[in-house]
């Protein structure tokens, strides 16, 4: 299904869209920074990392290899530093994983580009879907055990304090689901599968809940800004995938 507005945003209006979206994202994150943080050095550093993240995600949605994966490495390296200096050693695992996937993507995407130098997405067959679903199920099943093992060494990813949000949402399990979804989506993206954006859309909704539960409003703002980009990325990748099939046919 073609949507004229999204065709324009991912086509002739792409640069205007990118600039507008980026400026809105900077304004939203800056407002969250001034209104919800103590303006410490760490807060300022993460704000800068968030700006780099904006460049990364919009570049990935438009299939730009150097900007997407290059800035992705910068953003994830910054997140590792933020979590490490904040004492959240376990939370360094996700950005570390993402850093190395971006490093791999930098070389892998360069080998699969169109005439404009943009990465060519690909569709997933039933086996890819089966492996993806199996990975998430196994991940959800094993995560508590792995987390307990890491906790015994002082590196727990998520602390299980039995707290609930709105009286029924487990803080521990909502974090686990967010973690598994995000690393699965990241892997699918680097492997060039268009369906990765569906996983990011679901993941962003989950992360929004996590951020609201913890009162981390600047992260909540970032998640909503990313979510808008995810819908554009979803359309752009599927459109590009269809176009590449037509060209090769």
């Amino acid at each position: 299904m073609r949507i004229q507005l999204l065709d324009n945003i991912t086509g002739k209006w792409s640069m205007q869209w990118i600039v507008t979206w980026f400026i809105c994202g900077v304004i939203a994150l800056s407002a969250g920074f001034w209104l919800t943080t103590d303006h410490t050095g760490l807060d300022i550093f993460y704000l800068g990392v968030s700006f780099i993240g904006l460049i990364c995600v919009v570049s990935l949605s438009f299939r730009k290899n150097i900007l997407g994966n290059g800035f992705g490495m910068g953003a994830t390296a910054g997140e590792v530093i933020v979590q490490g200096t904040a004492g959240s050693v376990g939370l360094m695992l996700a950005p570390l994983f993402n850093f190395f996937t971006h490093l791999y993507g930098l070389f892998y995407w360069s080998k699969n580009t169109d005439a404009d130098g943009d990465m060519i997405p690909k569709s997933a067959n039933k086996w890819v879907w089966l492996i993806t679903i199996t990975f998430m199920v196994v991940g959800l099943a094993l995560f508590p055990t792995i987390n307990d093992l890491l906790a015994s060494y002082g590196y727990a990813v998520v602390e299980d304090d039995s707290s609930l949000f709105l009286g029924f949402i487990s803080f521990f399990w909502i974090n686990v689901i967010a973690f598994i979804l995000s690393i699965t989506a990241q892997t699918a993206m680097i492997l060039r599968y268009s369906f990765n954006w569906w996983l990011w859309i679901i993941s962003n909704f989950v992360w929004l809940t996590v951020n609201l539960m913890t009162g981390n409003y600047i992260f909540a703002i970032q998640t909503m800004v990313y979510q808008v980009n995810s819908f554009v990325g979803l359309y752009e990748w599927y459109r590009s995938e269809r176009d590449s099939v037509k060209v090769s046919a």
Side-chain angles (χ1 to χ4, degrees), residues 18 24 26 29 50 54 92 94 119 123 125 131 146 168 193 210 215 226 241:
I18 291 170
C24 290
V26 167
L29 289 170
S50 298
L54 291 177
M92 294 168 61
M119 182 275 294
S123 59
N125 58 36
I131 292 171
I146 296 173
F168 68 96
Y193 290 113
V210 171
Y226 281 4
E241 180 189 314

Side-chain angles (χ1 to χ4, degrees), residues 111-132:
K111 299 177 181 178
N112 299 275
T113 58
D114 57 22
D116 296 322
D118 298 329
M119 182 275 294
I120 302 173
K122 60 182 179 180
S123 59
N125 58 36
K126 62 180 181 180
W127 293 110
V128 173
W129 277 105
L130 180 61
I131 292 171
T132 300

Side-chain angles (χ1 to χ4, degrees), residues 135-148:
F135 175 83
M136 289 191 290
V137 170
V138 172
L140 289 171
L142 294 181
F143 190 95
T145 301
I146 296 173
N147 191 63
D148 288 342

Side-chain angles (χ1 to χ4, degrees), residues 1-2 16 21 31 49 67 78 85 93 95 100 118 130 138 150 164 170 184 186 191 193 204 207 212 222:
M1 182 178 67
R2 304 303 289 259
Q16 293 91 325
W21 177 87
V49 171
L67 286 174
T85 54
L93 294 177
F100 288 108
D118 298 329
L130 180 61
V138 172
L150 291 172
L164 300 175
S170 167
T184 306
Q186 176 73 13
L191 294 178
Y193 290 113
N204 285 334
W207 277 115
L212 292 176
Q222 182 188 56

Side-chain angles (χ1 to χ4, degrees), residues 21-37 46-47 50-51 53-54 57 204-230:
W21 177 87
F22 180 77
I23 291 174
C24 290
V26 167
I27 293 172
L29 289 170
S30 298
F33 167 77
W34 285 109
L35 296 175
T36 66
T37 74
Y46 194 80
L47 180 65
S50 298
F51 291 163
L54 291 177
V57 298
N204 285 334
F205 279 124
V206 178
W207 277 115
L208 178 61
T209 302
V210 171
N211 293 328
L212 292 176
M213 288 173 68
T214 58
N216 197 339
Y217 299 114
I218 188 170
F219 275 38
I221 292 170
Q222 182 188 56
T223 301
M224 290 185 287
V225 173
Y226 281 4
Q227 189 71 303
V228 173
N229 182 70
S230 293

